[in-house]
Structures are given as structure tokens and as C-alpha cells.
Amino acid sequence: MEVRVANVRKEFDRFAALHDISLDIKSGELIALLGPSGSGKTTLLRLIAGLEKPTRGKIYFGDEDASHRSIQERNVGFVFQHYALFRHMTVAENIGFGLKVRPGATRPTNAEIHRRASELLDLVQLSGLEKRYPAQLSGGQRQRVALARAMAIEPKVLLLDEPFGALDAQVRRELRRWLREIHDATGHTTVFVTHDQEEALELADRVVVMSQGSIEQVGTADEVYDTPNSPFVYGFVGDSSSLPVRIEDGQLWITDRPIGLAAPDAPDGKATLYFRPHDIELLDGCSGCIAGTVAASRRVAGTRRVELEIGGAREMVEIELPIEHPAAQKSRVAFRPRRWKVFPAEA
Ligand SMILES: Nc1ncnc2c1ncn2[C@@H]1O[C@H](COP(=O)(O)OP(=O)(O)OP(=O)(O)O)[C@@H](O)[C@H]1O
């Protein structure tokens, strides 16, 4: 089911948690809402679910305006961070619950509910555990059951609010891969909330980067990582380095030197250059590049982070080199970023 969020604003006591958000989610897509705490991810998810009503704007399910439909009428499946399984019900009963409480004629027979629960247990790779109670499962297993329960009602949309947030890093990574496989097998339109950029980039067809109640950028993992469209996205999705520069006639300068980068469309004046610390080309000589003195260097996992003091500008910038790269030992390093962007300097 395609979902369209059209100019949605959400206020709580006049505080705007979401400012006029628009987002088109395609049928069968796996979308990650990514942003820091308080950016509005959960509010957007709850609006799509029907757990909140927009202050302004509309939410469409297909062609239908669903803004005032209840969560049951929207037929969405929801999984929360903290396993909301019924403690006194077995795994199979938990999974079948949504079907069992369906009214009258729409309620499947017990045999059908049983069959559906078995199918879903197979899908989430928990066959054999149907008679266990939630307390007898690991955290990761409980979240698989929660997902099976959400899928049992054949939802039009699956909404997952940090479903792996309470689990340790390794289980999270396993479940992440597993969720992607389940999604590819079932094709549910899925919206996934996370504040973990690695999770969003690995899992989602498209990532929606949110900040302070607004959408900063929507794109595939590659688009959001390789071509961030704001300083916020540079900083939040992956590592970034920045340097104050000046633009004159479309050329970038640091103090009295042009650095060999052209931004013909940028207005003259102060600006900030952003790039990824690893996405650079080291140069031997330097007429038209960025040059600096190695001030510090440290090992970070499989790479070496080198802090350069940029001549004259008294600015520090960080680049990333292979661990044993000789340039890290040299006192002078010259480089040019491969992919970069300039944004007007903040006033
Ligand atoms: N029911 C509410 N009443 C008042 N303010 C709320 C309510 N729900 C959310 N907010 C506020 O709206 C803003 C967005 O909250 P939201 O929970 O959507 O953020 P989030 O990005 O999901 O954060 P987190 O990652 O911490 O869950 C926050 O400033 C929050 O305090």
C-alpha cells in the first residue's frame, strides 16, 4: 500500500513536533526514519499509524484520505522497542491474537489461525517454540514474535519503532539482515524508526533524515551518504570534516590561496567546505589544494585519523588514511577532497 504524507503539521500544546512534512512512500518500500532524539520520528510514525491526528495536513493510504481513520481501520501492524507481547499467552497465541479478536464474519476459524501462526513462525525462524511463553525467550526471539504478530493481520503497512533498540549490538546486526530478508520475501510497505545511521543505511531502500521536526533529506543510502544536502546530514550520517573558506568569482580560497575547487553557482563570501575525511586525494606538491601540518594522528579501527593544522588559517581539519600510510608521519600533507560541498557560513 502506498502511503502519502501531505503537508502534515503536528503540535502538542502549541509546540510544533512536526513542521509541514511531506513524504511519499511507495508500495513495498522499506523506509527508515533516521534522526537524533526529539527530531519527530516517532510522532511521524504514530501519525501514519493513526495513534495521533495531524494538527494540519493529510495522510493518504493509496487514494484514500486516511487522516481520520482509526488504527484498526487503517489495518497497520506496529512493533515497539519494548516487546509488547502478552505475558500470559504462548508464542502461538500471541501471533494469532490479532486474528482472534476480529469481529464476527471476518474472524478466521481456529484451524486457520493455527495454520497462519505456524506459517509465520516458519518465516521468522522460530518453528518449535510455539508453546513457549515470552519469559522463556531471548530478547531477539521476542522481537521476532512481535514482528510475526504484527504481520499476522496482513497489514497494509508495517510500522516499526526502534524494534531492535533494546538489544545488544551483535543481535541487532543479525536481526537487521534478517528483517531485510523477511521484507524481500513478503513485500510489506514498511516504515522503520531508528537513530542508528548504520542500521538505516544498511537496511532501507530509502532513508528519511529528520532534524527538529523537519525532513532534511530523502534518498537511497548512497545518495544520503555521498551527496548530503545540508551540514546537518553531513554531520549526522557518517563522519564529516569541515573548513571555513571564502568564495571569490566561483573559486574557493583559504586565506590568500586558492585551493583548486570551483563552485560557480555559489555566491561570493564566507562559506564552509564539507567533505568525508576518507574521500580525499593526497597530492605531492601543492599549487591549488589544501595543505597543512600534521598536528596529531590516531588509530580508529582499521584507519588512521590525521589532524592537520591548515597553514595561516589556524584551522584544524581531519582526514583519514590507511594505517601505515607514510603521509601520516610527514609534517606537511597536501590533499584535495574528491567529493565535497560548500554551504554559506552560518551567521
Ligand atoms: N504527547 C506529547 N506531548 C508533548 N510533546 C510531545 C509528545 N510526543 C512528542 N512530543 C515532543 O515532540 C518532539 C518529537 O518527539 P518524537 O518522540 O517524535 O521524537 P523522536 O525523534 O522519535 O525521538 P526519540 O528518538 O527520542 O524517540 C519532542 O520534542 C517531544 O518532546
Side-chain angles (χ1 to χ4, degrees):
M1 168 72 61
E2 177 185 297
V3 177
R4 195 151 60 84
V5 177
N7 291 312
V8 163
R9 184 178 178 84
K10 179 64 185 175
E11 291 176 9
F12 295 107
D13 301 327
R14 297 242 181 107
F15 167 78
L18 290 178
H19 307 271
D20 305 303
I21 295 253
S22 292
L23 177 65
D24 285 355
I25 301 168
K26 296 183 203 117
S27 184
E29 209 175 12
L30 176 49
I31 286 271
L33 305 181
L34 172 69
S37 185
S39 54
K41 308 178 295 290
T42 296
T43 303
L44 180 55
L45 200 73
R46 289 172 61 83
L47 282 158
I48 296 172
L51 291 164
E52 301 281 358
K53 300 275 175 281
T55 307
R56 216 164 57 207
K58 290 193 156 62
I59 292 180
Y60 294 90
F61 274 38
D63 292 331
E64 192 196 348
D65 179 0
S67 314
H68 295 284
R69 296 236 178 268
S70 69
I71 184 163
Q72 289 80 12
E73 288 169 325
R74 291 185 202 196
N75 198 27
V76 297
F78 215 115
V79 178
F80 300 92
Q81 175 172 355
H82 294 287
Y83 345 100
L85 297 179
F86 301 116
R87 300 166 65 85
H88 59 285
M89 288 186 196
T90 63
V91 164
E93 286 164 352
N94 262 288
I95 296 175
F97 178 78
L99 298 174
K100 207 154 194 155
V101 296
R102 279 203 175 148
T106 61
R107 184 183 177 281
T109 61
N110 282 346
E112 277 162 351
I113 294 174
H114 187 75
R115 190 182 49 78
R116 180 90 186 117
S118 296
E119 275 171 15
L120 283 161
L121 271 167
D122 262 354
L123 184 69
V124 301
Q125 295 158 7
L126 289 179
S127 297
L129 300 189
E130 40 272 84
K131 295 212 167 71
R132 293 235 188 134
Y133 286 88
Q136 299 168 310
L137 301 175
S138 71
Q141 289 171 332
R142 281 183 219 160
Q143 284 309 69
R144 291 177 190 218
V145 175
L147 192 71
R149 192 177 63 176
M151 289 192 294
I153 58 166
E154 285 169 15
K156 289 184 180 149
V157 183
L158 257 181
L159 302 172
L160 315 177
D161 194 355
E162 303 234 20
F164 311 139
L167 306 172
D168 71 46
Q170 190 176 342
V171 179
R172 275 180 89 122
R173 272 197 293 278
E174 280 167 20
L175 286 189
R176 206 186 281 168
R177 259 173 239 136
W178 166 85
L179 179 64
R180 183 69 231 188
E181 282 167 22
I182 297 252
H183 176 267
D184 292 344
T186 59
H188 280 120
T189 307
T190 304
V191 187
F192 183 97
V193 163
T194 180
H195 61 262
D196 178 340
Q197 42 128 338
E198 201 182 297
E199 190 158 276
L201 295 182
E202 186 178 329
L203 195 59
D205 294 318
R206 284 191 303 155
V207 178
V208 177
V209 186
M210 298 184 65
S211 162
Q212 297 184 7
S214 295
I215 293 178
E216 289 271 334
Q217 186 166 358
V218 182
T220 61
D222 287 349
E223 284 164 354
V224 167
Y225 189 82
D226 291 337
T227 51
N229 65 4
S230 70
F232 174 82
V233 179
Y234 255 108
F236 192 72
V237 184
D239 291 330
S240 68
S241 284
S242 63
L243 256 181
V245 293
R246 196 174 72 254
I247 300 178
E248 272 179 35
D249 298 331
Q251 294 295 319
L252 271 58
W253 292 65
I254 293 179
T255 60
D256 57 349
R257 297 160 60 105
I259 56 171
L261 303 177
D265 300 328
D268 281 4
K270 286 187 181 172
T272 308
L273 168 70
Y274 283 83
F275 60 95
R276 301 283 183 208
H278 64 86
D279 199 8
I280 57 163
E281 179 190 3
L282 287 173
L283 301 168
D284 284 335
C286 189
S287 60
C289 70
I290 305 173
T293 311
V294 176
S297 128
R298 64 185 198 283
R299 190 184 165 140
V300 178
T303 60
R304 184 162 291 282
R305 284 299 177 99
V306 178
E307 262 184 70
L308 295 180
E309 188 171 343
I310 303 303
R314 305 216 166 178
E315 292 288 347
M316 302 293 275
V317 72
E318 204 167 57
I319 57 172
E320 198 171 290
L321 299 172
I323 289 183
E324 303 300 347
H325 200 289
Q329 320 302 329
K330 273 202 221 159
S331 66
R332 295 283 294 166
V333 172
F335 75 94
R336 197 177 287 142
R338 285 208 187 87
R339 262 183 293 228
W340 53 275
K341 244 182 187 170
V342 273
F343 296 99
E346 280 165 31

